Amino acid sequence: FQRVARTAVTNGFATWNSDFDANDRSSEMIFWDEDKKSRVFTFDEAKVMLGYEKGVRGVRMLVIKGEDNRRSAVTANDDFSASVMGCRNLAGEALAPYFVCTKEPNIEDGFEIPGTITDTTTGACQQAQWIRGTKKGSFDGFAFATWLKDHLAPCIPDLSPENPAMVICDGCYAHTVDEVLEICATMGILMVILPPHCTHILQGEDLYHFGVFKGAFRVERAEIEAMKQLAAGWFIKLFKNGVATSFGQREFWYAIKEAWKGAWTKKAVDKGLKMQGLVPFNRAPLWTNFPNHERKQPQRLASDADSATQAAERCAERISIPGAPGLQVIARSNNSTFETTFDGSPESFARAPLNMMKLTEVYDKLVENDGVTDGDLSVLKQLILEKQEEITKSVITTIRKRRNTRRHDQYDEATAPAMARLLEAREKREKTKKRTHDAAEDVRDARFKDNTEDVTFLTALYAHLEDTGSLERTLTAIELRKVMRAKRIPLPQAPTAEFLRNKLKEVDERLYEANMECLSMSTRARPKRSCPTSSVGDETIRCAVTYHSSGIRVQLTTD
């Protein structure tokens, strides 16, 4: 608190409170300048995964009341994940989310997740951005510098070293690398680092926003999965085959969009700032969250685990009405509604069977109408079939075009050298990881090696065993590895001789028995070491000790 207060007062963001009482927990240490609140920011990152989080189970099985047809679970791709940056200022405004993904995200250009802050380059509310980052999908120095330059800076009017902005964040390595600090100094961003090991009680994003966001995300995901299963069951029953479609990026981003809305509103931001002790600036949260200066183990709310199940049950109850009326309850439609837009919401999946039935009903009416010629009926049938096929593909597959990321080029020239070094450092880390991984795989897994010489060695070994019926000597660890490589048997890194001998028993029992026979023979033939005996009896040995100025001399003498 003293560090933030000192930096804020020194740079004109706040003034000291002359009536501050250090013994009063609710006493304000400083008063923020109302005109400068919009230039003081806090931010933090969180992980979101397309696959299921640890300890959180998805909707596994649902049935419609009155039916016995069971539906397979909705699966998800565990390979895709992203880190999201949440940021807000003391004026109660929140930036749009910024995602760093493990792979190229499939996002339509029309899909937006707005923030509550104004982008100075467009004059409108800032919109979310997506970039592809590292394999882990986390913020490294380059991704964080890109966020500073292209996402945060456009939201700060007249940003410069003479008119700086202040950011409060944790001490993650990506925030404190030399090139990032150089870029911050170039743009006019003052960075205040929170003390280590206490961000879970001093960072408002962890205290409130991300908890609300992830809880809402799980509930929204459960409802989508439930409706996806039930809608897929309708198509499976219609076409007599198929499985439930997977939870893809379309549904993933829709759930994130819906969850983000309630977690970063003006009311939520104000609550998070109060819980953190920034507005008003007092140390009450320090005693509330950290009363005895002993770290508390964070506890997961029991409601988070139950909320997913409750959401699925709500969805199942809404569709328990037999036939189309149940779907209409979820889709929020009636008999006159025909909407084929798919945005990943539960309502869009509930509309799919309704649209299929509506198109079939229209075609049947056209067939009964005598005023429609056979040629016109053929054209209309083709159009209806194409539309039904399009609806079916929308339920089964997710095809999205690549979305372009917006850039802010005001600081490109000034930050180019530092950005180049950060990109070079990222590429160097990736090459080092790949080289280390490949080297470990080559040692561990024999399938990555050329085993021509090893096959020749094994052939000669078999020939000698056939001719003589035994081996000349016990196989060494190097020779055992040659045998394994010849047979392309995966091995751990640096296997011991004992492990290789036991592995040989599984691979080639005859060769194992011959090797163990040689080992036992060599053990029996090895002579025992004899202890040398002294020719002088112990009773005839005398010890003479002489003291000198330079030390002590000990001498053994005999008769």
Side-chain angles (χ1 to χ4, degrees):
F1 283 90
Q2 291 176 353
R3 183 185 305 169
V4 173
R6 186 168 55 251
T7 305
V9 172
T10 302
N11 294 276
F13 294 99
T15 56
W16 293 108
N17 180 12
S18 58
D19 298 329
F20 171 66
D21 184 3
N23 296 320
D24 185 1
R25 300 176 182 179
S26 60
S27 179
E28 295 186 51
M29 187 182 297
I30 60 174
F31 294 122
W32 294 103
D33 187 341
E34 293 295 331
D35 296 333
K36 295 290 187 72
K37 276 187 175 182
S38 60
R39 303 181 73 85
V40 181
F41 294 84
T42 70
F43 62 82
D44 192 21
E45 304 93 343
K47 195 81 169 182
V48 286
M49 296 183 290
L50 183 59
Y52 295 109
E53 301 174 63
K54 185 177 181 181
V56 178
R57 292 177 61 85
V59 180
R60 296 302 182 192
M61 199 71 67
L62 287 175
V63 296
I64 299 178
K65 283 189 175 181
E67 296 186 11
D68 296 329
N69 55 324
R70 294 172 63 84
R71 290 159 178 80
S72 58
V74 173
T75 59
N77 184 3
D78 295 336
D79 293 337
F80 184 84
S81 62
S83 291
V84 57
M85 179 73 80
C87 182
R88 68 214 169 134
N89 62 21
L90 301 191
E93 299 171 317
L95 272 69
Y98 190 88
F99 298 93
V100 177
C101 308
T102 55
K103 298 178 180 179
E104 197 67 44
N106 295 325
I107 307 293
E108 286 186 339
D109 285 335
F111 183 83
E112 302 289 357
I113 306 178
T116 59
I117 196 170
T118 301
D119 190 330
T120 58
T121 60
T122 62
C125 288
Q126 190 186 45
Q127 299 295 337
Q129 295 199 63
W130 290 261
I131 66 170
R132 180 177 178 178
T134 61
K135 291 183 178 180
K136 293 184 178 180
S138 57
F139 278 85
D140 60 357
F142 182 80
F144 178 65
T146 305
W147 175 81
L148 285 173
K149 190 170 63 71
D150 294 343
H151 204 68
L152 177 62
C155 298
I156 308 175
D158 303 324
L159 179 63
S160 66
E162 293 75 24
N163 188 22
M166 177 177 166
V167 297
I168 305 170
C169 63
D170 56 49
C172 171
Y173 173 76
H175 304 163
T176 58
V177 68
D178 293 344
E179 289 79 6
V180 169
L181 298 179
E182 179 183 337
I183 291 173
C184 289
T186 302
M187 293 192 298
I189 295 178
L190 305 174
M191 188 175 292
V192 182
I193 304 298
L194 294 172
H197 310 301
C198 58
T199 55
H200 61 292
I201 58 171
L202 292 180
Q203 210 157 12
E205 292 82 6
D206 288 337
L207 287 173
Y208 184 70
H209 298 287
F210 285 138
V212 174
F213 164 67
K214 289 196 173 182
F217 171 74
R218 292 171 188 141
V219 172
E220 193 67 34
R221 174 174 186 151
E223 289 196 351
I224 293 173
E225 287 185 352
M227 191 59 247
K228 201 175 179 72
Q229 284 190 23
L230 296 171
W234 189 91
F235 281 89
I236 293 170
K237 189 175 182 180
L238 177 65
F239 297 111
K240 306 301 183 183
N241 64 358
V243 295
T245 56
S246 62
F247 186 86
Q249 285 199 42
R250 175 181 56 188
E251 299 78 31
F252 175 71
W253 294 119
Y254 175 85
I256 285 180
K257 177 181 178 180
E258 294 300 311
W260 192 266
K261 291 179 180 178
W264 295 89
T265 60
K266 177 74 165 58
K267 182 178 179 180
V269 171
D270 290 341
K271 184 174 181 179
L273 292 172
K274 184 177 180 181
M275 291 177 66
Q276 190 176 358
L278 284 178
V279 181
F281 194 89
N282 58 54
R283 298 171 297 168
L286 187 61
W287 278 272
T288 302
N289 300 315
F290 207 35
N292 300 319
H293 292 270
E294 297 177 358
R295 179 170 182 175
K296 293 181 179 179
Q297 185 69 21
Q299 297 181 354
R300 179 180 170 187
L301 297 177
S303 58
D304 286 351
D306 300 335
S307 58
T309 304
Q310 293 172 0
E313 290 175 352
R314 278 201 309 274
C315 192
E317 287 296 328
R318 286 188 292 172
I319 204 171
S320 61
I321 307 172
L327 293 173
Q328 290 178 355
V329 171
I330 299 179
R332 301 172 185 173
S333 62
N334 50 47
N335 292 331
S336 62
T337 305
F338 185 77
E339 175 62 51
T340 60
T341 303
F342 277 87
D343 55 3
S345 64
E347 292 78 13
S348 63
F349 288 104
R351 286 195 298 263
L354 293 174
N355 292 336
M356 294 286 285
M357 290 186 287
K358 186 68 175 179
L359 290 171
T360 303
E361 179 185 348
V362 169
Y363 178 74
D364 292 340
K365 289 182 178 178
L366 291 173
V367 172
E368 296 174 359
N369 190 352
D370 297 334
V372 181
T373 63
D374 292 342
D376 294 342
L377 185 62
S378 177
V379 173
L380 292 173
K381 180 181 179 180
Q382 185 65 29
L383 292 175
I384 290 175
L385 290 176
E386 289 179 358
K387 195 61 181 179
Q388 287 182 332
E389 183 179 358
E390 180 184 338
I391 293 172
T392 305
K393 288 183 177 179
S394 298
V395 174
I396 296 173
T397 61
T398 302
I399 301 175
R400 299 293 182 197
K401 61 181 180 180
R402 181 175 177 177
R403 178 192 178 109
N404 296 324
T405 303
R406 296 180 295 274
R407 294 189 66 255
H408 185 57
D409 57 1
Q410 180 178 347
Y411 303 98
D412 278 359
E413 185 176 352
T415 61
M419 294 294 292
R421 293 198 300 272
L422 287 172
L423 183 58
E424 183 181 356
R426 171 191 280 188
E427 294 174 349
K428 183 178 180 181
R429 285 195 305 271
E430 291 178 351
K431 288 181 181 178
T432 302
K433 288 180 181 179
K434 186 178 185 303
R435 185 166 58 248
T436 304
H437 177 268
D438 292 346
E441 287 291 336
D442 288 343
V443 175
R444 182 185 66 82
D445 197 341
R447 291 173 294 181
F448 291 90
K449 282 281 192 179
D450 180 14
N451 64 344
T452 305
E453 296 181 359
D454 304 316
V455 171
T456 304
F457 169 78
L458 183 61
T459 303
L461 197 63
Y462 280 147
H464 184 274
L465 187 61
E466 290 291 338
D467 295 341
T468 62
S470 63
L471 300 176
E472 293 181 354
R473 55 180 175 78
T474 306
L475 297 177
T476 64
I478 296 177
E479 292 171 336
L480 288 170
R481 279 200 295 268
K482 288 184 177 181
V483 174
M484 298 301 168
R485 285 197 294 266
K487 293 179 173 290
R488 297 192 178 278
I489 304 300
L491 296 175
Q493 191 170 357
T496 62
E498 182 179 0
F499 174 85
L500 292 170
R501 283 195 291 268
N502 294 333
K503 193 71 175 177
L504 183 62
K505 183 178 182 180
E506 303 174 6
V507 175
D508 193 325
E509 191 170 352
R510 182 187 175 192
L511 193 59
Y512 168 78
E513 292 176 354
N515 183 59
M516 295 304 295
E517 183 179 354
C518 288
L519 182 62
S520 60
M521 290 178 60
S522 62
T523 304
R524 289 196 300 268
R526 185 181 301 167
K528 294 184 179 181
R529 294 183 59 185
S530 58
C531 298
T533 57
S534 176
S535 59
V536 181
D538 294 341
E539 65 277 1
T540 62
I541 299 177
R542 294 187 299 276
C543 179
V545 180
T546 308
Y547 296 92
H548 298 277
S549 58
S550 59
I552 302 175
R553 182 182 179 185
V554 180
Q555 185 177 7
L556 297 177
T557 60
T558 65
D559 296 336

